[in-house]
mmCIF file of all heavy atoms in Angstrom:
data_model
loop_
_atom_site.group_PDB
_atom_site.id
_atom_site.type_symbol
_atom_site.label_atom_id
_atom_site.label_comp_id
_atom_site.label_asym_id
_atom_site.label_seq_id
_atom_site.Cartn_x
_atom_site.Cartn_y
_atom_site.Cartn_z
ATOM 1 N N HIS A 24 100.812 140.104 349.963
ATOM 2 C CA HIS A 24 100.691 141.525 349.340
ATOM 3 C C HIS A 24 99.613 142.227 350.246
ATOM 4 O O HIS A 24 98.834 141.632 351.059
ATOM 5 C CB HIS A 24 100.119 141.370 347.938
ATOM 6 C CG HIS A 24 98.676 140.781 347.878
ATOM 7 N ND1 HIS A 24 97.627 141.578 347.727
ATOM 8 C CD2 HIS A 24 98.206 139.637 348.055
ATOM 9 C CE1 HIS A 24 96.459 140.860 347.709
ATOM 10 N NE2 HIS A 24 96.764 139.569 347.761
ATOM 11 N N GLN A 25 99.623 143.555 350.000
ATOM 12 C CA GLN A 25 98.499 144.477 350.568
ATOM 13 C C GLN A 25 97.873 145.299 349.284
ATOM 14 O O GLN A 25 98.530 146.046 348.719
ATOM 15 C CB GLN A 25 99.195 145.439 351.446
ATOM 16 C CG GLN A 25 98.227 146.535 352.019
ATOM 17 C CD GLN A 25 97.243 145.769 352.918
ATOM 18 O OE1 GLN A 25 97.519 144.821 353.681
ATOM 19 N NE2 GLN A 25 95.984 146.376 353.075
ATOM 20 N N ARG A 26 96.727 144.686 349.005
ATOM 21 C CA ARG A 26 95.908 145.138 347.933
ATOM 22 C C ARG A 26 96.751 145.234 346.517
ATOM 23 O O ARG A 26 96.661 146.124 345.796
ATOM 24 C CB ARG A 26 95.533 146.735 348.178
ATOM 25 C CG ARG A 26 94.449 146.862 349.335
ATOM 26 C CD ARG A 26 94.010 148.261 349.527
ATOM 27 N NE ARG A 26 93.369 148.800 348.393
ATOM 28 C CZ ARG A 26 92.835 150.028 348.113
ATOM 29 N NH1 ARG A 26 93.063 150.828 349.146
ATOM 30 N NH2 ARG A 26 92.224 150.331 347.107
ATOM 31 N N GLY A 27 97.467 144.099 346.334
ATOM 32 C CA GLY A 27 98.315 143.984 345.210
ATOM 33 C C GLY A 27 99.616 144.289 345.205
ATOM 34 O O GLY A 27 100.338 144.180 344.314
ATOM 35 N N VAL A 28 100.047 145.091 346.267
ATOM 36 C CA VAL A 28 101.448 145.555 346.390
ATOM 37 C C VAL A 28 102.204 144.505 347.182
ATOM 38 O O VAL A 28 101.859 144.153 348.311
ATOM 39 C CB VAL A 28 101.443 146.854 347.098
ATOM 40 C CG1 VAL A 28 102.945 147.318 347.294
ATOM 41 C CG2 VAL A 28 100.757 147.959 346.384
ATOM 42 N N SER A 29 103.102 143.826 346.537
ATOM 43 C CA SER A 29 103.811 142.690 347.138
ATOM 44 C C SER A 29 104.750 143.114 348.335
ATOM 45 O O SER A 29 105.195 144.266 348.361
ATOM 46 C CB SER A 29 104.595 142.038 346.135
ATOM 47 O OG SER A 29 105.397 140.957 346.593
ATOM 48 N N VAL A 30 105.010 142.225 349.195
ATOM 49 C CA VAL A 30 106.108 142.357 350.242
ATOM 50 C C VAL A 30 107.467 142.502 349.498
ATOM 51 O O VAL A 30 108.372 143.001 350.247
ATOM 52 C CB VAL A 30 106.113 141.360 351.271
ATOM 53 C CG1 VAL A 30 104.732 141.270 351.946
ATOM 54 C CG2 VAL A 30 106.369 139.945 350.583
ATOM 55 N N GLU A 31 107.650 141.964 348.326
ATOM 56 C CA GLU A 31 108.811 141.979 347.511
ATOM 57 C C GLU A 31 108.788 143.386 346.669
ATOM 58 O O GLU A 31 108.007 143.495 345.842
ATOM 59 C CB GLU A 31 109.022 140.891 346.595
ATOM 60 C CG GLU A 31 110.186 140.831 345.734
ATOM 61 C CD GLU A 31 111.542 140.420 346.442
ATOM 62 O OE1 GLU A 31 111.518 140.326 347.607
ATOM 63 O OE2 GLU A 31 112.523 140.436 345.765
ATOM 64 N N PRO A 32 109.745 144.320 347.018
ATOM 65 C CA PRO A 32 109.719 145.675 346.191
ATOM 66 C C PRO A 32 109.823 145.386 344.721
ATOM 67 O O PRO A 32 110.547 144.577 344.266
ATOM 68 C CB PRO A 32 110.885 146.199 346.752
ATOM 69 C CG PRO A 32 111.176 145.692 348.185
ATOM 70 C CD PRO A 32 110.790 144.323 348.063
ATOM 71 N N GLY A 33 108.854 146.078 344.120
ATOM 72 C CA GLY A 33 108.984 146.039 342.479
ATOM 73 C C GLY A 33 108.061 144.806 341.942
ATOM 74 O O GLY A 33 107.907 144.816 340.860
ATOM 75 N N ILE A 34 107.433 144.024 342.857
ATOM 76 C CA ILE A 34 106.517 143.051 342.332
ATOM 77 C C ILE A 34 105.065 143.442 342.795
ATOM 78 O O ILE A 34 104.750 144.022 343.997
ATOM 79 C CB ILE A 34 106.862 141.685 342.988
ATOM 80 C CG1 ILE A 34 108.187 141.116 342.495
ATOM 81 C CG2 ILE A 34 105.729 140.668 342.711
ATOM 82 C CD1 ILE A 34 108.190 140.886 341.064
ATOM 83 N N TYR A 35 104.053 143.328 341.752
ATOM 84 C CA TYR A 35 102.708 143.678 342.049
ATOM 85 C C TYR A 35 101.815 142.572 341.526
ATOM 86 O O TYR A 35 102.204 141.774 340.668
ATOM 87 C CB TYR A 35 102.372 145.015 341.433
ATOM 88 C CG TYR A 35 103.252 146.214 341.804
ATOM 89 C CD1 TYR A 35 104.448 146.423 341.384
ATOM 90 C CD2 TYR A 35 102.733 146.965 342.878
ATOM 91 C CE1 TYR A 35 105.195 147.402 341.716
ATOM 92 C CE2 TYR A 35 103.532 148.019 343.280
ATOM 93 C CZ TYR A 35 104.809 148.279 342.747
ATOM 94 O OH TYR A 35 105.579 149.272 343.239
ATOM 95 N N PHE A 36 100.521 142.426 342.111
ATOM 96 C CA PHE A 36 99.618 141.341 341.621
ATOM 97 C C PHE A 36 98.257 142.098 341.252
ATOM 98 O O PHE A 36 98.069 143.152 341.784
ATOM 99 C CB PHE A 36 99.338 140.314 342.796
ATOM 100 C CG PHE A 36 100.681 139.494 343.031
ATOM 101 C CD1 PHE A 36 101.442 140.014 344.168
ATOM 102 C CD2 PHE A 36 101.089 138.449 342.338
ATOM 103 C CE1 PHE A 36 102.628 139.244 344.498
ATOM 104 C CE2 PHE A 36 102.066 137.602 342.730
ATOM 105 C CZ PHE A 36 102.959 138.118 343.802
ATOM 106 N N LEU A 37 97.600 141.441 340.447
ATOM 107 C CA LEU A 37 96.276 141.919 339.992
ATOM 108 C C LEU A 37 95.379 140.765 339.582
ATOM 109 O O LEU A 37 95.914 139.948 338.781
ATOM 110 C CB LEU A 37 96.573 142.997 338.736
ATOM 111 C CG LEU A 37 95.144 143.802 338.339
ATOM 112 C CD1 LEU A 37 94.584 144.571 339.554
ATOM 113 C CD2 LEU A 37 95.440 144.648 337.186
ATOM 114 N N GLY A 38 94.132 140.876 339.936
ATOM 115 C CA GLY A 38 93.114 139.917 339.706
ATOM 116 C C GLY A 38 92.983 138.714 340.550
ATOM 117 O O GLY A 38 92.437 137.698 340.304
ATOM 118 N N LEU A 39 93.609 138.900 341.866
ATOM 119 C CA LEU A 39 93.412 137.951 342.810
ATOM 120 C C LEU A 39 92.230 137.959 343.436
ATOM 121 O O LEU A 39 91.526 138.928 343.630
ATOM 122 C CB LEU A 39 94.502 138.157 343.893
ATOM 123 C CG LEU A 39 96.103 138.169 343.444
ATOM 124 C CD1 LEU A 39 97.045 138.502 344.687
ATOM 125 C CD2 LEU A 39 96.426 136.708 342.791
ATOM 126 N N PRO A 40 91.520 136.815 343.956
ATOM 127 C CA PRO A 40 90.325 136.764 344.694
ATOM 128 C C PRO A 40 90.530 137.675 345.953
ATOM 129 O O PRO A 40 91.522 137.568 346.666
ATOM 130 C CB PRO A 40 90.180 135.295 345.090
ATOM 131 C CG PRO A 40 90.947 134.658 344.057
ATOM 132 C CD PRO A 40 92.168 135.422 343.732
ATOM 133 N N TRP A 41 89.574 138.522 346.150
ATOM 134 C CA TRP A 41 89.550 139.365 347.331
ATOM 135 C C TRP A 41 90.726 140.244 347.527
ATOM 136 O O TRP A 41 91.395 140.526 348.509
ATOM 137 C CB TRP A 41 89.290 138.575 348.633
ATOM 138 C CG TRP A 41 87.890 137.963 348.657
ATOM 139 C CD1 TRP A 41 87.400 136.829 348.145
ATOM 140 C CD2 TRP A 41 86.800 138.524 349.384
ATOM 141 N NE1 TRP A 41 86.269 136.558 348.414
ATOM 142 C CE2 TRP A 41 85.663 137.648 349.053
ATOM 143 C CE3 TRP A 41 86.552 139.604 350.162
ATOM 144 C CZ2 TRP A 41 84.533 137.827 349.667
ATOM 145 C CZ3 TRP A 41 85.288 139.811 350.755
ATOM 146 C CH2 TRP A 41 84.226 138.902 350.375
ATOM 147 N N GLN A 42 91.323 140.605 346.369
ATOM 148 C CA GLN A 42 92.630 141.376 346.350
ATOM 149 C C GLN A 42 92.480 142.596 347.161
ATOM 150 O O GLN A 42 93.301 142.978 348.015
ATOM 151 C CB GLN A 42 93.054 141.746 344.979
ATOM 152 C CG GLN A 42 94.243 142.625 344.888
ATOM 153 C CD GLN A 42 94.900 142.632 343.527
ATOM 154 O OE1 GLN A 42 95.093 141.617 343.045
ATOM 155 N NE2 GLN A 42 95.379 143.766 343.009
ATOM 156 N N SER A 43 91.293 143.371 347.006
ATOM 157 C CA SER A 43 91.008 144.517 347.884
ATOM 158 C C SER A 43 89.587 144.526 348.420
ATOM 159 O O SER A 43 89.233 144.963 349.465
ATOM 160 C CB SER A 43 91.243 145.851 347.156
ATOM 161 O OG SER A 43 90.212 145.950 346.155
ATOM 162 N N ARG A 44 88.649 143.689 347.829
ATOM 163 C CA ARG A 44 87.293 143.572 348.124
ATOM 164 C C ARG A 44 86.566 142.508 347.467
ATOM 165 O O ARG A 44 87.316 141.715 346.691
ATOM 166 C CB ARG A 44 86.601 144.918 347.633
ATOM 167 C CG ARG A 44 86.588 145.064 346.097
ATOM 168 C CD ARG A 44 86.233 146.380 345.654
ATOM 169 N NE ARG A 44 87.407 147.208 345.568
ATOM 170 C CZ ARG A 44 87.390 148.581 345.406
ATOM 171 N NH1 ARG A 44 86.172 149.111 345.247
ATOM 172 N NH2 ARG A 44 88.433 149.312 345.368
ATOM 173 N N ARG A 45 85.367 142.273 347.775
ATOM 174 C CA ARG A 45 84.594 141.200 347.245
ATOM 175 C C ARG A 45 84.599 141.195 345.665
ATOM 176 O O ARG A 45 84.631 140.226 345.004
ATOM 177 C CB ARG A 45 83.181 141.192 347.769
ATOM 178 C CG ARG A 45 82.261 140.214 347.279
ATOM 179 C CD ARG A 45 80.797 140.267 347.982
ATOM 180 N NE ARG A 45 80.047 139.149 347.471
ATOM 181 C CZ ARG A 45 78.863 138.858 348.146
ATOM 182 N NH1 ARG A 45 78.485 139.654 349.274
ATOM 183 N NH2 ARG A 45 78.169 137.886 347.827
ATOM 184 N N GLY A 46 84.536 142.405 345.125
ATOM 185 C CA GLY A 46 84.442 142.538 343.662
ATOM 186 C C GLY A 46 85.650 142.421 342.848
ATOM 187 O O GLY A 46 85.704 142.653 341.731
ATOM 188 N N SER A 47 86.786 142.001 343.477
ATOM 189 C CA SER A 47 88.137 142.181 342.864
ATOM 190 C C SER A 47 88.253 141.221 341.674
ATOM 191 O O SER A 47 88.955 141.712 340.744
ATOM 192 C CB SER A 47 89.262 141.803 343.870
ATOM 193 O OG SER A 47 89.447 142.890 344.767
ATOM 194 N N THR A 48 87.614 140.161 341.620
ATOM 195 C CA THR A 48 87.799 139.239 340.384
ATOM 196 C C THR A 48 86.787 139.506 339.437
ATOM 197 O O THR A 48 86.796 138.832 338.306
ATOM 198 C CB THR A 48 87.724 137.795 340.928
ATOM 199 O OG1 THR A 48 86.677 137.464 341.676
ATOM 200 C CG2 THR A 48 88.979 137.386 341.668
ATOM 201 N N PHE A 49 85.797 140.455 339.540
ATOM 202 C CA PHE A 49 84.824 140.814 338.548
ATOM 203 C C PHE A 49 85.443 141.876 337.648
ATOM 204 O O PHE A 49 86.281 142.647 338.104
ATOM 205 C CB PHE A 49 83.591 141.269 339.200
ATOM 206 C CG PHE A 49 82.857 140.122 339.959
ATOM 207 C CD1 PHE A 49 83.209 139.767 341.277
ATOM 208 C CD2 PHE A 49 81.827 139.515 339.496
ATOM 209 C CE1 PHE A 49 82.628 138.671 341.982
ATOM 210 C CE2 PHE A 49 81.109 138.468 340.094
ATOM 211 C CZ PHE A 49 81.654 138.083 341.269
ATOM 212 N N ILE A 50 84.823 141.966 336.518
ATOM 213 C CA ILE A 50 85.363 142.904 335.575
ATOM 214 C C ILE A 50 85.552 144.345 336.076
ATOM 215 O O ILE A 50 86.692 144.869 335.843
ATOM 216 C CB ILE A 50 84.502 142.868 334.278
ATOM 217 C CG1 ILE A 50 84.564 141.418 333.514
ATOM 218 C CG2 ILE A 50 84.844 143.851 333.193
ATOM 219 C CD1 ILE A 50 83.527 141.281 332.351
ATOM 220 N N TRP A 51 84.506 144.793 336.468
ATOM 221 C CA TRP A 51 84.583 146.271 336.919
ATOM 222 C C TRP A 51 85.539 146.281 338.163
ATOM 223 O O TRP A 51 86.169 147.225 338.396
ATOM 224 C CB TRP A 51 83.318 146.794 337.351
ATOM 225 C CG TRP A 51 82.619 146.171 338.580
ATOM 226 C CD1 TRP A 51 81.939 144.910 338.489
ATOM 227 C CD2 TRP A 51 82.844 146.400 339.947
ATOM 228 N NE1 TRP A 51 81.487 144.527 339.812
ATOM 229 C CE2 TRP A 51 82.058 145.495 340.698
ATOM 230 C CE3 TRP A 51 83.503 147.419 340.581
ATOM 231 C CZ2 TRP A 51 82.040 145.566 342.133
ATOM 232 C CZ3 TRP A 51 83.505 147.516 342.004
ATOM 233 C CH2 TRP A 51 82.792 146.512 342.648
ATOM 234 N N GLY A 52 85.507 145.283 338.983
ATOM 235 C CA GLY A 52 86.309 145.268 340.348
ATOM 236 C C GLY A 52 87.859 145.305 339.998
ATOM 237 O O GLY A 52 88.668 146.010 340.618
ATOM 238 N N VAL A 53 88.268 144.465 338.918
ATOM 239 C CA VAL A 53 89.696 144.448 338.670
ATOM 240 C C VAL A 53 90.165 145.808 338.096
ATOM 241 O O VAL A 53 91.383 146.270 338.297
ATOM 242 C CB VAL A 53 89.889 143.388 337.618
ATOM 243 C CG1 VAL A 53 89.579 143.644 336.318
ATOM 244 C CG2 VAL A 53 91.370 142.892 337.715
ATOM 245 N N TRP A 54 89.257 146.607 337.433
ATOM 246 C CA TRP A 54 89.632 147.914 336.944
ATOM 247 C C TRP A 54 89.989 148.823 338.073
ATOM 248 O O TRP A 54 90.993 149.571 337.971
ATOM 249 C CB TRP A 54 88.477 148.396 336.137
ATOM 250 C CG TRP A 54 88.768 149.690 335.357
ATOM 251 C CD1 TRP A 54 89.204 149.731 334.006
ATOM 252 C CD2 TRP A 54 88.468 150.984 335.713
ATOM 253 N NE1 TRP A 54 89.221 151.052 333.780
ATOM 254 C CE2 TRP A 54 88.812 151.918 334.777
ATOM 255 C CE3 TRP A 54 88.228 151.563 336.965
ATOM 256 C CZ2 TRP A 54 88.883 153.279 334.812
ATOM 257 C CZ3 TRP A 54 88.124 152.932 337.072
ATOM 258 C CH2 TRP A 54 88.470 153.810 335.991
ATOM 259 N N HIS A 55 89.140 148.814 339.075
ATOM 260 C CA HIS A 55 89.436 149.706 340.239
ATOM 261 C C HIS A 55 90.747 149.247 340.946
ATOM 262 O O HIS A 55 91.491 150.007 341.514
ATOM 263 C CB HIS A 55 88.261 149.691 341.158
ATOM 264 C CG HIS A 55 87.047 150.463 340.570
ATOM 265 N ND1 HIS A 55 87.019 151.830 340.654
ATOM 266 C CD2 HIS A 55 85.853 149.945 340.033
ATOM 267 C CE1 HIS A 55 85.770 152.319 339.944
ATOM 268 N NE2 HIS A 55 85.238 151.158 339.620
ATOM 269 N N ASP A 56 90.892 147.973 341.037
ATOM 270 C CA ASP A 56 92.160 147.432 341.758
ATOM 271 C C ASP A 56 93.375 147.949 340.914
ATOM 272 O O ASP A 56 94.421 148.245 341.454
ATOM 273 C CB ASP A 56 92.136 145.986 341.893
ATOM 274 C CG ASP A 56 91.227 145.549 343.083
ATOM 275 O OD1 ASP A 56 90.984 146.398 343.836
ATOM 276 O OD2 ASP A 56 91.025 144.287 343.177
#
């Protein structure tokens, strides 16, 4: 994926470690992702 947007069209991810940044798995970080 790229920042949660999967290589498979229509599939998305959220809450992955380092999804977009260091804070991605923290409460406030997942909100921004």
Side-chain angles (χ1 to χ4, degrees):
H24 68 98
Q25 178 66 33
R26 295 183 63 185
V28 179
S29 171
V30 297
E31 175 77 356
I34 296 293
Y35 301 85
F36 297 96
L37 188 61
L39 301 177
W41 292 84
Q42 177 159 316
S43 70
R44 67 192 82 189
R45 179 177 187 163
S47 286
T48 49
F49 291 79
I50 292 173
W51 66 271
V53 79
W54 188 90
H55 289 283
D56 281 348

